[in-house]
Amino acid sequence: MSETEESSGFEAPNRPTDSGADSWKTSGFKRGRSARNRRSVQFSDRCARGLITVGGLGTIFAVLGVAVFLVLVVAPLFDDAEFEAAKQPLGLSTTSAGAKPLRIGSDEFGQTYWRLDEDEFVRVLRADTGEVFREIDLRRRESEVVLTAVGGASHGSAFVLGYSDGSIRLCDLAFAIEFERTEGLPPEIVRPGGVTRAVVGSGQERGLVERLPGSRFRKLVLAVELSEVVEVAKAPITDCDRNDRSSAIDVVVLSRLPAEPEPILSHVAFRVEEDLFSGERTAEYEGQRSLKIESERAQAGRWLRFLDAGRGALLVDPRGHALRISIDEDLILEQNLNLVENAEVGRATDVRDIVTLLGGKTLIVGHGSGAVSAWFLVPDVSTGLDRQRLIRTKEFAVADCAVTKLGTSARGRTVVAGDESGGLHLLQVTTEQVLGSAEVGSGPVEVVAFAPKADRILAACGTADGRGGTVGYALGVDLGHPEVSLKSIFSPVAYEGREGPAFAWQTSAASDSYEPKFGLVPLIFGTLKATFYTMLLSIPLALLAAIYTSEFVSKQRRARIKPIVEMMASLPSVVLGFVAAVVLAPFVEDRVAGLIACAVTIPSAVLGAAFLWQSFPLRQTLPRQGLRMPLMAIAVVFGLALGLGSNDWIEQVLFDSDLRLWLSDSDRGSGLPAWLLLTLPFAAVLTSFSMVRFVNPVIRSRSMDVPRQIAARRHLIKWAIGSVAFLGLAFGLAALCYYGLGSFFGGTWDLRDGFDVGGFDLSPVGVYDQRNALVVGLVMGFAVVPIIYTIAEDALSSVPENLRAASLGAGASPWQTAVRVVLPTATSGLFSAIMIGLGRAVGETMIVLMAAGNTPVLDLDVFKGFQTLSAGIATELPEAPAGSTHYRTLFLAALVLFAITFVINSLAEAVRQHYRRKFSQL
């Protein structure tokens, strides 16, 4: 204690004594209250702290758990195809008569295999031992007639057999599945612990019985159906093919008379009738048409294949010369091409085998150089007629030696190619991938096919020296999800029927032969399109409303306005979507031009009313400040009525009397209004900038000493002149683009024809859909406005009042204070409000599901629909089989949506923290 303190006898009141901080004393005062909280309060604090910590960590782990789950579901999409380590021998395919297999197949369970041999026997083998336990004789009674050709899809078991006497007949193989009782079965399979498979029966009932779990037994019996022999040519059949439809069977046959080099192509039709009670189908011969192909390129024709689901045929010779013939109505030669000309891979100088994929629209060609090429039928736009042409779209380099045999899958666009050295190569045509390769023999592959479930590859290979006969093998394979790759998901892909690569999403169709398209880019683009048009409407409305209620109205009025706006967020999305689809979409369809005009008339009416209000003397307007809100509402209603009321007049003047017809027909009226719609926003921005930058300072400097109403009238005149300048500038820019840029395209540039860049149509107008981006933007903007408004208003209201007072005290107006002081200070909160609204728009499901049309297209057209990631997941996930490619791709869409929202939220938080630190000292 100092000498002064000792001499006065006074003890410092705030100085702790030696007994500690909790026992300090003051002279002349009572003992102060202890700073230590009660134990109950401390316990409550610890509990609250623990609960908050657990809740925060739980939220983090929940989000990470969702991300990990999505990754685990999606990861198998990108697994490579896997072959079994050991191939399964099927026994010697060469019989005692020396016959080689022409076709090979199996049942769907992989327990039995069949071979159609060149000696006209169908032999059935056990998969586990390779034993032939049944032989079916297909030979005809005429001993001099022999089998010369077998045609039909490589992935099926329905064939057409061609003979040396110019006749054909249909052959169908199918496994009958029966569930047997224990009576009559061999004891060795019935007793517990016995064999699991046994051959039973005799004659046509001879089949393989397999024991199943639960003491059940399944019997597989191969049934063969043969049609009547039909004579279709006067010379031996050299090749043939078959195409099955629901009520008919088409057959094309190639024959050649000995004395004439020109081949004859015959189209044979069979009518199919089905018994309603038994389900048995019978084929009856209807008739045929023939065409002698008088072309030098056709003289060496070897392969004849159906194209385009039976509407065309292709004749190919080993040198690659091909003729495409239409057989839809008349037999007409439509295209002459070369399948090895200008090959991009290897030295594709000859053809070894050709097959068609499921659906018959894609031709697969195996070349002697080891390459495989894919050819698509695409529309021939050069002729102006409804015709097609065959073009090469994809090529694969698969082997160092010749490709000898091709086989296709009945479950997709997967091809297996066998080469001269006994190798098998898996190709996926859609994604242009070589999935894998395996060696099954030492000699050339002579027959190759997929099992019905595409889980095995069946192959018959010769020996390296050609003397050891033919050996059959079955090789298990797990294809995984070959229809999907990173390239096919996020890059343009060449699909059937399209000449160039394109982005597409199509997971189902009316036919099982369709090519699935799993590109997510249309859905991502649709999500961004919906977000763009939503935020275009909601951000200005919400922020301006927040600024108004925060800075320009009294606290009592703000307390009434804010809850009303927040109540808008309580409306369910499904209700808004229903209103959009049922009420708003038809309303907008009939008044599109008027609604577009409202974007000009409503702001003009509000600004005009404001300038008109200011033109009156202050002594008249000051006592009537309460009338401003009602008058503003009247101005908005007037602008809305003016815009909607001018709908018919605008359509008559600009859109040739009907906007929807004008949009759908580029030859109707002028294309100038399309550019006008695009240039209106740019003209508004340029006009506003010019007024603020050049005109306002002049008016302000000359209005310093004039009465308020005179200055307001000058601003009113400025606004009127600016409105005229705005419209003139918009028309001038539109004319410059339409005629000036159009001169590079030979006259004019009509945006209704589209403006494609990299697969994206950047044209803002096109064919009008009732459910479109305009409707979605209006309704989703209504749903997002309350979220942005609430957070933005809270951020503006939290700005310290001393900043406003300092600005107003320095002579700034309330508007200058709001724009130059309050808004920069609340930037972090405003940005967070926008980002949260953006996240809501990105993840919205029900509104876009009901009001967007669900059309996965790539264009910026405000009058067209779209499909978003969330809508695609909601509509398709209930129908997708669990674990399928479609199912996992939808989870990939969910993962992409998760990543988009995560990036948006992370960016919003980073920007918010930046501005928070920047203005933390204010």
Side-chain angles (χ1 to χ4, degrees):
M1 186 177 295
S2 66
E3 295 179 357
T4 305
E5 291 173 341
E6 290 178 352
S7 63
S8 64
F10 184 80
E11 187 176 6
N14 292 326
R15 185 172 180 177
T17 63
D18 295 338
S19 60
D22 292 334
S23 59
W24 57 271
K25 299 178 181 179
T26 58
S27 175
F29 294 94
K30 294 183 179 181
R31 183 183 180 91
R33 185 175 180 179
S34 173
R36 180 180 296 173
N37 292 325
R38 290 180 297 178
R39 292 183 177 179
S40 60
V41 176
Q42 295 177 2
F43 177 76
S44 299
D45 289 343
R46 293 191 186 96
C47 291
R49 187 182 300 111
L51 289 175
I52 292 173
T53 303
V54 171
L57 293 176
T59 302
I60 294 173
F61 285 123
V63 173
L64 291 177
V66 171
V68 170
F69 172 74
L70 292 176
V71 170
L72 292 177
V73 176
V74 170
L77 280 176
F78 307 103
D79 290 343
D80 296 330
E82 296 181 358
F83 292 94
E84 285 185 355
K87 55 184 177 291
Q88 179 183 10
L90 299 183
L92 287 177
S93 292
T94 302
T95 64
S96 57
K100 293 185 178 181
L102 301 176
R103 295 297 177 99
I104 190 170
S106 76
D107 65 84
E108 59 180 309
F109 308 105
Q111 302 302 320
T112 59
Y113 299 93
W114 57 262
R115 302 191 321 261
L116 174 57
D117 294 333
E118 62 181 1
D119 62 355
E120 301 182 55
F121 276 85
V122 174
R123 293 177 171 86
V124 187
L125 306 84
R126 292 182 55 166
D128 52 352
T129 63
E131 171 194 357
V132 177
F133 65 86
R134 183 183 174 194
E135 292 188 349
I136 306 171
D137 189 358
L138 303 183
R139 292 177 298 180
R140 293 168 54 183
R141 295 180 180 179
E142 304 89 342
S143 57
E144 68 279 0
V145 177
V146 297
L147 184 66
T148 56
V150 177
S154 62
H155 53 260
S157 57
F159 310 113
V160 55
L161 308 179
Y163 294 96
S164 57
D165 63 346
S167 61
I168 61 170
R169 64 174 173 175
L170 305 178
C171 176
D172 293 89
L173 308 180
F175 279 93
I177 304 174
E178 304 172 359
F179 292 92
E180 299 286 330
R181 298 184 177 182
T182 57
E183 294 83 358
L185 295 180
E188 60 271 15
I189 194 174
V190 174
R191 67 171 179 263
V195 299
T196 58
R197 298 177 186 85
V199 178
V200 299
S202 60
Q204 296 183 356
E205 298 299 323
R206 189 170 179 81
L208 183 72
V209 174
E210 180 186 11
R211 180 194 297 165
L212 303 176
S215 300
R216 296 183 305 155
F217 299 90
R218 180 180 59 208
K219 182 180 180 182
L220 299 173
V221 179
L222 181 65
V224 179
E225 295 184 6
L226 293 172
S227 70
E228 297 293 330
V229 176
V230 178
E231 185 176 349
V232 297
K234 300 183 180 300
I237 306 298
T238 58
D239 200 14
C240 53
D241 200 10
R242 168 175 171 169
N243 178 71
D244 286 54
R245 294 181 286 162
S246 58
S247 59
I249 297 175
D250 297 312
V251 174
V252 285
V253 171
L254 184 67
S255 61
R256 184 179 286 104
L257 295 173
E260 298 181 5
E262 295 84 3
I264 299 175
L265 184 146
S266 301
H267 172 234
V268 186
F270 291 85
R271 183 179 68 256
V272 176
E273 296 182 354
E274 182 175 356
D275 191 287
L276 296 178
F277 298 99
S278 63
E280 182 180 355
R281 292 163 55 93
T282 58
E284 295 185 3
Y285 170 75
E286 272 197 326
Q288 70 180 74
R289 298 173 294 171
S290 297
L291 172 68
K292 179 182 288 188
I293 306 176
E294 297 179 353
S295 172
E296 294 183 1
R297 292 193 170 190
Q299 294 180 9
R302 176 178 175 183
W303 295 280
L304 182 64
R305 296 291 184 268
F306 267 116
L307 282 177
D308 197 15
R311 290 186 287 270
L314 190 72
L315 178 62
V316 184
D317 71 7
R319 295 173 297 175
H321 298 151
L323 301 175
R324 190 171 66 86
I325 302 162
S326 172
I327 58 175
D328 191 12
E329 296 180 356
D330 296 321
L331 299 180
I332 302 173
L333 179 62
E334 288 198 337
Q335 187 180 0
N336 192 324
L337 67 157
N338 195 320
L339 300 181
V340 300
E341 204 170 58
N342 299 325
E344 298 178 4
V345 178
R347 303 177 309 279
T349 56
D350 60 346
V351 174
R352 298 298 180 90
D353 193 21
I354 60 173
V355 294
T356 54
L357 289 183
L358 186 66
K361 292 184 177 292
T362 300
L363 181 74
I364 305 298
V365 182
H367 299 279
S369 63
V372 174
S373 59
W375 298 68
F376 290 171
L377 279 172
V378 299
D380 190 359
V381 295
S382 61
T383 62
L385 304 174
D386 186 17
R387 291 184 178 179
Q388 294 179 309
R389 60 193 181 96
L390 192 66
I391 63 171
R392 177 175 43 240
T393 56
K394 303 175 184 180
E395 290 199 15
F396 306 83
V398 298
D400 296 330
C401 54
V403 173
T404 57
K405 209 65 180 177
L406 298 171
T408 60
S409 170
R411 292 180 169 239
R413 266 62 186 168
T414 307
V415 177
V416 56
D419 61 34
E420 277 187 334
S421 62
L424 298 179
H425 311 275
L426 284 175
L427 315 175
Q428 221 297 325
V429 177
T430 301
T431 59
E432 300 184 53
Q433 296 183 97
V434 179
L435 303 178
S437 301
E439 294 291 332
V440 293
S442 58
V445 176
E446 298 178 350
V447 181
V448 65
F450 278 100
K453 292 184 178 180
D455 56 351
R456 287 177 178 81
I457 299 175
L458 314 176
C461 303
T463 57
D465 57 5
R467 300 178 181 179
T470 303
V471 182
Y473 298 98
L475 184 65
V477 62
D478 181 8
L479 295 177
H481 303 276
E483 301 89 353
V484 172
S485 66
L486 285 176
K487 179 181 178 181
S488 66
I489 292 173
F490 299 110
S491 300
V493 175
Y495 294 106
E496 282 185 349
R498 303 187 183 186
E499 186 167 353
F503 297 100
W505 171 266
Q506 182 187 3
T507 57
S508 61
S511 173
D512 292 336
S513 62
Y514 82 102
E515 183 178 22
K517 305 171 181 63
F518 293 110
L520 290 182
V521 172
L523 303 188
I524 297 173
F525 186 84
T527 302
L528 299 179
K529 180 179 178 180
T531 304
F532 171 76
Y533 286 112
T534 299
M535 304 309 287
L536 194 65
L537 175 69
S538 60
I539 290 178
L541 287 179
L543 293 185
L544 291 175
I547 293 171
Y548 179 76
T549 56
S550 173
E551 305 300 320
F552 297 98
V553 301
S554 63
K555 293 183 178 180
Q556 294 79 9
R557 182 171 293 178
R558 181 173 59 189
R560 293 193 295 269
I561 294 176
K562 189 175 181 181
I564 294 175
V565 177
E566 290 175 344
M567 284 181 60
M568 294 165 53
S570 64
L571 292 175
S573 297
V574 65
V575 175
L576 294 177
F578 178 78
V579 171
V582 177
V583 179
L584 186 60
F587 177 83
V588 171
E589 184 179 17
D590 295 332
R591 300 167 180 85
V592 180
L595 284 174
I596 297 174
C598 287
V600 177
T601 58
I602 293 178
S604 300
V606 172
L607 289 175
F611 288 127
L612 187 63
W613 173 269
Q614 293 178 357
S615 66
F616 289 99
L618 191 62
R619 65 178 180 274
Q620 297 179 4
T621 58
L622 191 59
R624 300 176 177 85
Q625 291 294 318
L627 295 178
R628 290 195 303 176
M629 283 294 292
L631 291 177
M632 186 181 298
I634 293 174
V636 171
V637 173
F638 174 77
L640 181 65
L642 180 63
L644 294 179
S646 61
N647 179 81
D648 295 339
W649 178 80
I650 294 174
E651 286 194 339
Q652 183 72 29
V653 173
L654 296 179
F655 302 112
D656 199 20
S657 302
D658 194 311
L659 175 62
R660 288 170 294 175
L661 294 178
W662 176 84
L663 288 170
S664 60
D665 186 3
S666 60
D667 296 328
R668 185 185 181 101
S670 170
L672 181 63
W675 281 104
L676 180 62
L677 295 176
L678 186 62
T679 56
L680 279 174
F682 297 99
V685 172
L686 290 175
T687 305
S688 301
F689 175 79
S690 301
M691 290 294 177
V692 173
R693 183 68 176 83
F694 302 108
V695 180
N696 283 355
V698 176
I699 296 178
R700 191 181 302 114
S701 63
R702 297 184 179 182
S703 303
M704 299 294 294
D705 300 325
V706 299
R708 172 177 174 270
Q709 59 269 25
I710 295 178
R713 289 167 187 170
R714 291 178 179 177
H715 282 285
L716 181 61
I717 295 173
K718 176 205 70 173
W719 167 78
I721 296 174
S723 299
V724 175
F726 154 68
L727 293 176
L729 181 60
F731 273 99
L733 291 175
L736 178 63
C737 295
Y738 181 60
Y739 295 106
L741 296 179
S743 61
F744 294 100
F745 299 92
T748 58
W749 186 3
D750 198 333
L751 289 177
R752 291 174 293 175
D753 295 330
F755 180 43
D756 187 83
V757 176
F760 296 87
D761 187 2
L762 301 183
S763 176
V765 296
V767 178
Y768 188 89
D769 297 331
Q770 188 184 65
R771 290 171 173 81
N772 52 50
L774 178 61
V775 176
V776 173
L778 292 173
V779 179
M780 281 183 60
F782 179 84
V784 172
V785 160
I787 299 173
I788 301 178
Y789 167 81
T790 300
I791 301 175
E793 205 278 336
D794 291 339
L796 293 170
S797 299
S798 64
V799 174
E801 288 294 331
N802 59 347
L803 296 178
R804 294 184 177 88
S807 176
L808 295 172
S813 66
W815 176 250
Q816 290 173 326
T817 300
V819 173
R820 299 184 182 182
V821 177
V822 178
L823 281 180
T825 308
T827 301
S828 62
L830 297 179
F831 190 81
S832 297
I834 293 174
M835 289 296 103
I836 291 175
L838 184 66
R840 164 69 193 277
V842 168
E844 178 58 47
T845 302
M846 293 308 301
I847 294 176
V848 295
L849 184 65
M850 304 176 72
N854 281 332
T855 52
V857 293
L858 286 171
D859 58 61
L860 287 175
D861 188 357
V862 70
F863 301 125
K864 281 186 181 179
F866 52 87
Q867 186 173 13
T868 63
L869 290 167
S870 57
I873 296 169
T875 55
E876 299 184 21
L877 189 59
E879 301 176 357
S884 64
T885 303
H886 185 196
Y887 176 86
R888 297 186 187 277
T889 306
L890 291 175
F891 272 88
L892 177 60
L895 183 61
V896 172
L897 187 60
F898 179 91
I900 292 175
T901 55
F902 179 80
V903 170
I904 290 174
N905 292 330
S906 300
L907 178 63
E909 182 62 19
V911 174
R912 189 184 72 84
Q913 292 294 343
H914 169 74
Y915 284 107
R916 184 176 182 180
R917 290 191 300 268
K918 182 176 180 180
F919 297 105
S920 61
Q921 302 301 323
L922 297 178

